[in-house]
Amino acid sequence: MADFTAEDAERAFLEAYNMPTGMPKHEALERAARMSDALGHLPLGVSCRTALIDSAYYLARYDLMLAPFAWVRAAEEKDPEAFNEYEVHSLNWAHKWIATGLRRDPKFSLEQLQAVIGQLADRYGKLGFSVQPVHGARAEYAYHVGDMAGLAEHLGRYLATERGPMADCEACVIEEQVWMLARLGRHQEAAAHGWEGLSGDSGCATQPQGILSALLWPLLEIGELEKAAHAHTTAYRLIKDDEITSYVHEHIRFCALTGNLSRGEDILRRSLHKVTAVQLPADEMSFAECASVLLQRLPADTVFEVPAVGSRTAAELLDRLSKRALQLARQFDERNGTPAWLDRITKSLEQKDYPAVELAVPAAPVTATAEESVVFGDPVEIAESMVTLYEQGDFVRARRMLDSLPADMDSLLPPDLAAHAGIRRMTTGLVPFDPAVFDELLTALPADLALRYQARLAMGLPDGRELAERCLAEATTDYTRTVAALSLAELYDDAHEHERANEMIALASSLDVPELRGRVAVETAEHKARQQDLEGAYADVLAVMAGDIPLNARFEGYRLRLRLETLLRKVPEAVATAREFVSAFPLPESAEARWYQVATIQELDQEGACLGDLREAVAISRVHLSPGHTAHFCFALSGGYVQTDRFVEAAEVLEESLRLLQEGQEDLRLQVVFRLGQVCRKLGELPAAERYLREAADLLPPEETGRRAFLLDALASVQGRLDKHDEAIASWRAGAALWQQEGNLSEAIGSLVELASNLPDDEVTETRAAVNDAEALLPLLDEPAEVTRRQAEIAAIRAWVHGQTGEFALAMKQYRDAEALVVSLGDEGWRVFVVLKAAHVLLIADDAAGAEAEARRAASLLPDDNQVSTVLSMLSEALRRQNKPSGTDPLVRELTARLD
């Protein structure tokens, strides 16, 4: 006789059932099963074995599934009444798992696999289920053994058969069909079928990442590279923390074959536990194959830290994994009696690259080696040419000469030429600017040339005005006088001494130095702009740009023209000018023009329309600008992704921006983390959203009350969705207080309304308090329409509170008041929403007939199809409560047709 009771066994089962997935849970379930057997407790034994089948599935241990599966089938024959509804469903469902598991492990024979598929067909046929899963299992079996004709045959049946209660979810069925179509080379069909299947939310934990992963290869095969990039980026973000499924293997191979080796390496490093982890042989083969495809393309000496193995180079890891993939392929082929898997793995390891795929974060451009820009010859002659070219305004060729003069050769140059070279290195950013070194270099130059350099730099100095005036007074050549006059014109304009600036422009024009005519003309136009004569300045700069002017003047002309078009909101012209600007100069000179282009795109809010330009800017900046520039360009690119609803790409590029931020870019960091918090909220990545929004709150200066209030509202919504209700209440109330401090009472009411709308059902007291506080602010609003809008929101919330407390008559009165207010605003969509809320209250009050009437009224008010499904659900439920048939109801049919 057992020394434990039925209660002990049931308690052991419940404790085991609630344990986290893992072998300890599985072993605890086995102990509970043995206890139930000892007691002859058949229902408990069924429950234990059903749980053991689930446990084995989540452990990917199909060998552990066979014994409980066989036990349950025998128990079913012995006493079907021992099974509850869930356990019957689980037994029917587990048949599919068994077929999958036996196929993916070569230690099980083909006879076993065929027998399980036959049993699956018999059982589903006997119970009247759709045989779609049977066709799917037979198609997978055919592919596994290399029977492509069989795959085509059973796939045809799989596609033609409707789903049933034992079929996988609709999205998972589509995923399997995409894989099969791609294996048959029907790539166009696979891509279309899968892309269509992405519409809507399946509610499945493995979707849409499963469909997207299956789509990678057909999309690449038909050349849909942008869609392939989207599929990879979106899917990988959903699976990057999944250490179990094999989807990630396909993304390692995708990166390897599409020119994204760095990203592939990052993904592989996150997956190195799979080198030694216990896996199904099919999954181990898949990982070894895909990792090998990447490792072939990485530098052989790249070092990886492999868990339980230690440091291994890419070459060593490639040797290990490629051999393992081929070894497992042979084991499957020996079991199957075909060469299918060895052929597949061999071809995979020999596969050529696809065309490069650009991902969300652009990489540095891969271009052919540029023609040698260094000029060879006598250093003195090169230095003299450099000075002349700079003076003539040809800064492109002058820079080539400068690059041809290494600093360690300055000692071989005459002192004045060495000084020119040293100063130009500082003014072009090749070396950091050092005032002391600059002053020392000036002593080696003739006085007039020294004044010329000083006049150019006067703009950035605290005493620049006095310095420029001295340079003008002491200058001995018209060239230097002109340079000093142009600097003074800008300095006087900045001090609003426009008459004196006029005098400087007139002086520069009268001196008429041929090399500086273009600069003077551009500066004349800019002088008008600084006096707010934007149209006049624009006309002038267009005229100047139409002529033949030196490159340095043309660069400044583009900069001014672009700025004026931005200020004048000439959007198409500004976008076109920016593109012309960056294409008018070679690299690296055009890289600086990218800065002005990106600033224009952001200021004109054209990020979404200029995604290609922003992607190019990021790629170019990686080579020719600083990481800080790249961080800024990444932030701008994220705006384009947000504007085009590509939030996954936005998150990726914002994370790259965050990685590249430099010291001194605190304001940009604030913008990046705030936008990243908003994007993560949109993606449902709530813990990350909260973390970034908190960081933004810490970075935001306290005096910026409006931005802080907006941020707190966003943070509160995330905290509410995380069920951190006390923190959410505090954030919304703090936001409301800051909006009041800012003088924006409508937004303060909005914060309180959001607070009241998002509290749990049992927080009636806090909800009423928030509504009362919001209502108290209404008399302070000036705009009548805004008052009405807020009154409608408050009335709807009060109605909801009355419904929660069982005051149904008061709830209906408030909903009627809210509806009247919404009608006065002319918002029909909002009106439908309010009517449906009233119908819901009537259902709670057991007035199904009244709810039906409200649902029908809502249907008559629908302005578009956005709320059709909600109206249909409400009407169907109201009919069901009254035991009325819905299938024959004309309105139900009409609404259903609108959904289709």
Side-chain angles (χ1 to χ4, degrees), residues 753-767:
V753 166
E754 285 295 309
L755 165 58
S757 302
N758 286 277
L759 285 170
D761 293 351
D762 56 354
E763 292 282 356
V764 172
T765 301
E766 183 62 43
T767 300

Side-chain angles (χ1 to χ4, degrees), residues 686-694 715 718-719 722 724 727:
L686 300 182
E690 183 185 26
R691 183 173 70 253
Y692 290 125
L693 291 172
R694 282 190 181 279
L715 177 60
V718 172
Q719 291 168 331
L722 286 169
K724 297 182 176 182
E727 294 177 44

Side-chain angles (χ1 to χ4, degrees), residues 408-431:
D408 58 8
M409 292 182 61
D410 284 359
S411 61
L412 303 178
L413 298 173
D416 60 331
L417 292 178
H420 279 296
I423 290 171
R424 289 293 181 181
R425 289 191 194 98
M426 282 191 280
T427 56
T428 55
L430 290 175
V431 298

Side-chain angles (χ1 to χ4, degrees), residues 87 117 123 476 480 496 745 771 812:
E87 290 161 348
I117 295 175
R123 185 176 186 87
T476 59
T480 302
H496 303 289
L745 297 176
V771 171
M812 291 303 297

Side-chain angles (χ1 to χ4, degrees), residues 171-183:
C172 286
V173 168
I174 290 172
E175 177 196 339
E176 286 301 315
Q177 292 168 345
V178 172
W179 282 116
M180 294 178 196
L181 287 166
R183 289 162 181 164

Side-chain angles (χ1 to χ4, degrees), residues 554-623:
R554 186 162 295 279
F555 188 93
E556 292 301 318
Y558 273 120
R559 183 189 58 76
L560 175 59
R561 175 178 159 188
L562 186 58
R563 183 63 186 151
L564 288 168
E565 287 170 343
T566 302
L567 292 172
L568 293 168
R569 311 304 291 180
K570 296 179 179 288
V571 176
E573 294 88 343
V575 170
T577 296
R579 289 171 181 161
E580 186 181 325
F581 192 3
V582 298
S583 64
F585 302 94
L587 290 167
E589 285 77 14
S590 67
E592 184 180 347
R594 295 278 179 181
W595 183 260
Y596 299 106
Q597 180 189 35
V598 171
T600 294
I601 290 170
Q602 288 183 287
E603 193 163 341
L604 292 174
D605 202 28
Q606 293 296 300
E607 293 98 319
C610 297
L611 273 172
D613 301 284
L614 295 172
R615 290 179 59 84
E616 286 180 10
V618 171
I620 292 297
S621 71
R622 291 188 183 278
V623 178

Side-chain angles (χ1 to χ4, degrees), residues 423 426-427 433-443 450 453-454 457:
I423 290 171
M426 282 191 280
T427 56
F433 186 82
D434 187 324
V437 174
F438 176 75
D439 290 341
E440 183 180 348
L441 290 172
L442 289 179
T443 62
Y453 279 121
Q454 288 177 306
L457 290 175

